[in-house]
Amino acid sequence: MSTLLATRIAGLLILISTSSFMYADSIIYELLTKPDFLEQAALNRSSLAFAALLEFINCAAVIGMSILIYPTIRQYSERIAIGYVSGRLIEGATLITGAVTLMTLIAMGKQVIENPDVSSEYLYMMGSALKSERWFGFLMGMFSLGLCGFLLNITLYQYRLIPRAISVLGMIGYAVLLLKVAFDYFGLDFSGAWMYIPGGIYELLLPLWMIFKGFDLSAKPKVKQ
């Protein structure tokens, strides 16, 4: 496979991962933020199962794209190339547990509906704990993404593999993402959804550039790092 083709496929995978994750999140948020979220999970089993499938697609796509660009990035920094693949693998592993959690919540909701005479308080306590586990797993995945993405963009900037304006936006976006993860992890009220905006714009511009232009490989490194 040529470098340009691999880059274009990787760009397409980024678009697939972003769109699948965002659509899955819209389904999940609507259902799991309701007071009767277990019943909603069971009653909307197909929607939630589809959301879990989309999250799996997201995980597979981010890992796949990191593997596709590995040979290119390795020419400039082997440590960054390995670190980026490793970071994406960690991200995928943490997020896939969240998809499994969705299926567990569906099963718990089914128990609540089919056994109305049994107190559902315990199941809701367990369900709330699973939602918290899913949330903290998401934060760990975003931490891994923010760290490896920031380091990747340093290399992209240094060797002008993409326009420097895009790589600077990437560094800003991932730095802000790391701050949001820290704020959310420690329960600080300084963050908001706006902190996803720089990274979101970057993850739209980067894949489009990769698909239509590819990486500029004219600047070869003097020494592999």
Side-chain angles (χ1 to χ4, degrees), residues 10 13-15 17-18 58-69 80-96 140-150 152-153 174 177 199 202-203 206-207 210:
L13 288 177
I14 295 174
L15 291 177
S17 69
T18 301
N58 166 64
C59 294
V62 297
I63 293 171
M65 66 79 54
S66 69
I67 294 172
L68 283 170
I69 68 171
I80 294 298
I82 294 173
Y84 188 70
V85 173
S86 300
R88 287 298 205 170
L89 283 170
I90 294 171
E91 176 195 356
T94 54
L95 295 184
I96 201 67
M140 294 300 99
M142 292 302 98
F143 176 79
S144 180
L145 167 62
L147 184 58
C148 72
F150 182 85
L152 173 68
N153 275 276
Y174 287 127
L177 176 61
Y202 167 78
E203 294 208 346
L206 174 65
M210 291 170 66

Side-chain angles (χ1 to χ4, degrees), residues 137-194:
F138 168 76
L139 291 181
M140 294 300 99
M142 292 302 98
F143 176 79
S144 180
L145 167 62
L147 184 58
C148 72
F150 182 85
L151 295 175
L152 173 68
N153 275 276
I154 293 177
T155 299
L156 297 180
Y157 178 90
Q158 181 179 2
Y159 296 107
R160 299 178 181 268
L161 296 178
I162 59 175
R164 281 186 162 177
I166 298 179
S167 53
V168 168
L169 177 61
M171 285 187 276
I172 293 172
Y174 287 127
V176 172
L177 176 61
L178 288 171
L179 282 176
K180 178 166 176 55
V181 168
F183 291 154
D184 289 346
Y185 185 83
F186 292 106
L188 302 178
D189 294 328
F190 300 130
S191 66
W194 65 269

Side-chain angles (χ1 to χ4, degrees), residues 25-96:
D25 186 65
S26 67
I27 297 173
I28 295 164
Y29 183 83
E30 181 182 0
L31 295 176
L32 298 190
T33 54
K34 295 182 178 180
D36 58 339
F37 64 89
L38 286 182
E39 286 96 330
Q40 291 298 324
L43 294 173
N44 296 275
R45 183 186 186 282
S46 296
S47 296
L48 213 56
F50 180 61
L53 177 60
L54 289 176
E55 290 198 333
F56 174 79
I57 291 173
N58 166 64
C59 294
V62 297
I63 293 171
M65 66 79 54
S66 69
I67 294 172
L68 283 170
I69 68 171
Y70 171 82
T72 301
I73 304 304
R74 184 176 178 272
Q75 298 176 47
Y76 298 86
S77 175
E78 187 169 7
R79 287 179 295 179
I80 294 298
I82 294 173
Y84 188 70
V85 173
S86 300
R88 287 298 205 170
L89 283 170
I90 294 171
E91 176 195 356
T94 54
L95 295 184
I96 201 67

Side-chain angles (χ1 to χ4, degrees), residues 4 8 207-214:
L4 180 58
R8 285 174 169 169
L208 291 177
W209 187 270
M210 291 170 66
I211 291 170
F212 293 107
K213 294 290 186 178

Side-chain angles (χ1 to χ4, degrees), residues 98-170:
V100 174
T101 298
L102 294 179
M103 306 309 295
T104 304
L105 292 174
I106 291 173
M108 293 172 67
K110 184 178 179 182
Q111 290 297 317
V112 172
I113 292 175
E114 293 181 350
N115 299 279
D117 297 330
V118 178
S119 174
S120 61
E121 182 178 356
Y122 176 74
L123 287 174
Y124 266 96
M125 288 176 59
M126 292 296 296
S128 296
L130 286 174
K131 287 203 300 179
S132 295
E133 179 184 353
R134 174 182 163 82
W135 170 243
F136 283 108
F138 168 76
L139 291 181
M140 294 300 99
M142 292 302 98
F143 176 79
S144 180
L145 167 62
L147 184 58
C148 72
F150 182 85
L151 295 175
L152 173 68
N153 275 276
I154 293 177
T155 299
L156 297 180
Y157 178 90
Q158 181 179 2
Y159 296 107
R160 299 178 181 268
L161 296 178
I162 59 175
R164 281 186 162 177
I166 298 179
S167 53
V168 168
L169 177 61

